[in-house]
Amino acid sequence: MEAAAVRAWQGSRERFDAGRTAAPRRSELGAGEVCTACNLRHDVSPLCPRVLEEVGATRRRLARGETLFRPGEPFVSIYTIRSGSCKTVMLTGDGREQVTAYYIRGEFVGVEGVGTAVHRCEAVALEDSEVCVLPFARLEEMARAQPQIQRSLYRVFATEAARERSVMLMLGTMRAEQRLAAFLLDLSRRYHERGYSSTEFVLRMTREEIGSYLGLKLETVSRIFSQMHRSGLVHVQSRLVKLRDPLALRGLIQATFQ
Amino acid sequence: MEAAAVRAWQGSRERFDAGRTAAPRRSELGAGEVCTACNLRHDVSPLCPRVLEEVGATRRRLARGETLFRPGEPFVSIYTIRSGSCKTVMLTGDGREQVTAYYIRGEFVGVEGVGTAVHRCEAVALEDSEVCVLPFARLEEMARAQPQIQRSLYRVFATEAARERSVMLMLGTMRAEQRLAAFLLDLSRRYHERGYSSTEFVLRMTREEIGSYLGLKLETVSRIFSQMHRSGLVHVQSRLVKLRDPLALRGLIQATFQ
DNA sequence: CGTAAGTTTGACTTACATCAAGTTTTGTGG
DNA sequence: CCACAAAACTTGATGTAAGTCAAACTTACG
């Protein structure tokens, strides 16, 4: 059943259409300005359309469940999500797997491969999606000539590293309810940054995937959603989440001394 | 009591003595060759003495418990440990703190600041130690001119990111005994890589610090050390650890299906 | 529209935390 | 260098948050 979908999306890789990026031909975009080439707000994504063009970015469509890259595959590109979302999954020594990240439109995927020859995790589309493919060698070359691109690149790495660090902190110190609160607030912030509602969004991950990301079992995730719903913190209707009391959610995270 | 020790170590920052690095003046070190400038094996540390010299590295001594950098401090340098060891600590929203890393001789500290203007954690010496201070702006400049230094830098970032990712995986999927086994095997590997015994080493962290790093309480760490000691996996005598059966330790980590 | 995948909820179990008391180790000042 | 105090560690008894197992219910996709 997935095969058909994959076929339908196939052959959709195309070179960037230069005509589409005609509008902003200046070397700099103002903060908050929309980059038509990749649908990214420039204050969020440090790589402007001029860079994407010059770097020879291509596009790639992914059907839900399709894999963008796998562990062991040579690292040649990083990706920005034009539309849709994806998760990354790592495999532990034994067969188990853990969701290590969740990316939405405008975010960078595949950065974990930098500095090594190969990717370390699997990236899977959570819904039909489209990504920009940025050849890393070219990006690096440009960064060498233009220090501001270098800094932008570092910023992309730093964002990824900061995310991983905060997950580490969450897994090491928080209880289940706090983890879920932190997860929702993180999503809220990221949706907001990208111009979507910060209080109402659709989860693309299953309870099991959320649990895997948070170091919890799916039943625990479900129970805590129900419990938050009952206490009026959030409204949860299957995958649709409405944050009713973001302040109280934030309070949950901070109000545990010891 | 600590103040006196700090005073004793003060005023010990000095510019690199060029005379000390006289030996290898070639542009490349062979794998495994010792870098006299920083006591690092070149196959372990990607930055050779020539680079350290050129980058204007200085040295700094730290007394046990002394802080190398604090959260919020401007990020200007990264550090390599010449001797001793240190931990990094992050503060959660509320007052609690978590140990986020543990570095030994030859490893890079402070990399988490890359891409941001400031450091995100506190680095504290676990024993009297000495570090190389590498001004990052200079390093970046050199990397721009020399692609191979760029790659080395990326490799340093990647090593740090990989470590964080594996901690994330550990915290998300492993039980207490497995975490401790993974911790010991990680230390074992790193000591081995740097030319020390892989089966016998002295822990510089307390049980509480180990617990903080592993997301466990100090009592749990203690109990599991005792239990591993009883079953003959390791010999634990206070801070001195001898790995008696590394294979069985590895087995602990992998032999949990589901 | 039917089926498979995903979700919720309950009953029970367990791994780790907490609390507490006693012991060992470490570091410091006499 | 020894003695003493503080810090670190060990071990036991008990509590609890989250996991496990199971069954019924809901959602969504082909």
Side-chain angles (χ1 to χ4, degrees):
Chain A
M1 56 209 76
E2 203 167 283
V6 170
R7 245 176 284 117
W9 286 81
Q10 263 171 2
S12 58
R13 303 184 195 190
E14 73 232 82
R15 197 106 210 321
F16 246 158
D17 174 10
R20 287 204 66 188
T21 60
R25 189 60 87 160
R26 292 162 294 141
S27 69
E28 285 290 87
L29 273 187
E33 213 171 315
V34 172
C35 154
T36 50
C38 55
N39 294 332
L40 305 176
R41 299 230 324 276
H42 185 58
D43 53 348
V44 173
S45 167
L47 297 175
C48 68
R50 183 182 54 85
V51 173
L52 292 182
E53 234 181 290
E54 218 176 306
V55 89
T58 54
R59 289 196 214 151
R60 179 167 168 197
R61 290 192 176 202
L62 295 166
R64 188 163 79 92
E66 203 181 340
T67 291
L68 183 56
F69 53 81
R70 282 175 220 278
E73 265 181 33
F75 168 73
V76 288
S77 302
I78 60 176
Y79 309 85
T80 66
I81 300 185
R82 284 177 52 84
S83 66
S85 56
C86 76
K87 66 174 177 179
T88 53
V89 177
M90 275 191 87
L91 292 107
T92 56
D94 44 328
R96 289 171 303 163
E97 58 177 45
Q98 184 184 10
V99 173
T100 47
Y102 176 48
Y103 300 98
I104 63 173
R105 179 164 160 168
E107 297 183 324
F108 285 78
V109 188
V111 175
E112 30 67 56
V114 175
T116 61
V118 295
H119 283 289
R120 287 301 157 90
C121 58
E122 182 175 9
V124 180
L126 291 168
E127 58 195 306
D128 294 345
S129 304
E130 191 175 19
V131 297
C132 275
V133 183
L134 313 178
F136 191 71
R138 275 288 297 144
L139 212 49
E140 215 179 330
E141 211 177 289
M142 286 176 66
R144 215 170 297 132
Q146 305 174 56
Q148 112 202 27
I149 294 183
Q150 183 66 275
R151 272 191 295 277
S152 295
L153 254 189
Y154 279 151
R155 197 173 139 206
V156 171
F157 302 161
T159 303
E160 178 63 18
R163 192 196 57 75
E164 282 175 14
R165 216 164 297 126
S166 79
V167 170
M168 208 166 100
L169 219 71
M170 176 203 70
L171 292 173
T173 66
M174 291 185 184
R175 292 184 302 99
E177 191 184 39
Q178 299 179 299
R179 294 184 194 188
L180 207 56
F183 174 71
L184 292 175
L185 288 171
D186 179 55
L187 279 183
S188 167
R189 181 184 53 75
R190 286 157 61 194
Y191 278 122
H192 181 72
E193 278 176 4
R194 279 154 188 89
Y196 300 105
S197 167
S198 65
T199 56
E200 207 173 319
F201 42 84
V202 175
L203 299 170
R204 298 297 176 179
M205 299 169 116
T206 66
R207 301 288 190 258
E208 186 168 21
E209 287 167 329
I210 294 170
S212 173
Y213 183 57
L214 300 179
L216 302 171
K217 292 293 159 182
L218 71 97
E219 295 95 329
T220 304
V221 173
S222 175
R223 265 185 252 273
I224 289 174
F225 269 144
S226 301
Q227 171 188 315
M228 284 179 169
H229 184 98
R230 256 178 273 123
S231 62
L233 288 178
V234 298
H235 183 274
V236 186
Q237 163 66 254
S238 178
R239 304 264 179 117
L240 177 68
V241 174
K242 298 179 188 178
L243 306 191
R244 288 274 181 242
D245 194 346
L247 247 70
L249 275 179
R250 192 157 300 284
L252 271 185
I253 299 173
Q254 306 193 333
T256 317
F257 359 96
Q258 165 175 172
Chain B
M1 55 209 79
E2 203 167 284
V6 171
R7 245 177 284 117
W9 286 81
Q10 266 173 358
S12 59
R13 301 184 197 192
E14 73 231 79
R15 196 107 211 317
F16 245 161
D17 175 7
R20 289 204 66 189
T21 60
R25 190 59 88 159
R26 290 161 296 141
S27 68
E28 286 291 87
L29 272 188
E33 214 170 315
V34 171
C35 155
T36 50
C38 55
N39 293 330
L40 305 176
R41 298 233 323 278
H42 185 58
D43 53 349
V44 173
S45 168
L47 297 175
C48 68
R50 184 182 54 85
V51 173
L52 292 181
E53 232 181 289
E54 217 176 307
V55 88
T58 55
R59 288 196 214 152
R60 180 168 166 198
R61 292 196 172 199
L62 295 166
R64 189 162 78 94
E66 202 181 341
T67 291
L68 185 55
F69 53 81
R70 280 174 220 279
E73 265 181 31
F75 168 74
V76 288
S77 302
I78 62 177
Y79 308 86
T80 66
I81 299 185
R82 285 177 51 86
S83 67
S85 56
C86 77
K87 66 173 176 180
T88 53
V89 177
M90 275 189 87
L91 291 108
T92 56
D94 43 329
R96 288 170 304 164
E97 57 177 47
Q98 185 183 12
V99 173
T100 48
Y102 176 48
Y103 300 98
I104 63 172
R105 180 164 160 169
E107 296 182 322
F108 284 78
V109 187
V111 176
E112 30 68 56
V114 175
T116 62
V118 295
H119 283 289
R120 286 302 157 90
C121 59
E122 183 175 6
V124 180
L126 291 169
E127 59 194 306
D128 294 344
S129 304
E130 191 175 19
V131 298
C132 275
V133 183
L134 313 178
F136 191 70
R138 276 287 297 144
L139 212 50
E140 216 178 331
E141 212 176 290
M142 286 176 67
R144 215 170 296 133
Q146 305 175 56
Q148 112 201 28
I149 294 183
Q150 183 65 276
R151 273 192 294 278
S152 295
L153 255 189
Y154 280 149
R155 197 173 140 205
V156 172
F157 303 162
T159 303
E160 179 63 19
R163 193 194 57 74
E164 283 175 12
R165 216 164 296 126
S166 79
V167 170
M168 209 166 100
L169 220 71
M170 177 202 70
L171 292 173
T173 65
M174 289 186 185
R175 292 185 302 101
E177 191 184 39
Q178 298 179 301
R179 295 185 194 186
L180 207 55
F183 174 71
L184 291 176
L185 289 171
D186 178 55
L187 279 183
S188 167
R189 181 186 51 78
R190 287 158 59 194
Y191 277 122
H192 182 72
E193 278 177 4
R194 279 156 188 87
Y196 300 105
S197 168
S198 66
T199 56
E200 206 172 320
F201 42 84
V202 175
L203 299 171
R204 297 297 176 178
M205 300 169 117
T206 65
R207 302 286 191 259
E208 186 168 23
E209 287 167 329
I210 294 170
S212 172
Y213 183 57
L214 300 178
L216 303 170
K217 292 294 160 181
L218 70 97
E219 295 95 328
T220 305
V221 172
S222 175
R223 264 185 253 275
I224 289 174
F225 269 145
S226 300
Q227 170 188 317
M228 284 178 168
H229 184 98
R230 256 178 275 122
S231 63
L233 288 177
V234 298
H235 183 274
V236 186
Q237 162 66 254
S238 176
R239 305 266 177 113
L240 177 67
V241 174
K242 298 179 188 177
L243 305 191
R244 288 276 180 241
D245 193 345
L247 247 71
L249 275 178
R250 192 157 300 283
L252 271 185
I253 298 173
Q254 307 193 333
T256 318
F257 0 95
Q258 165 176 168

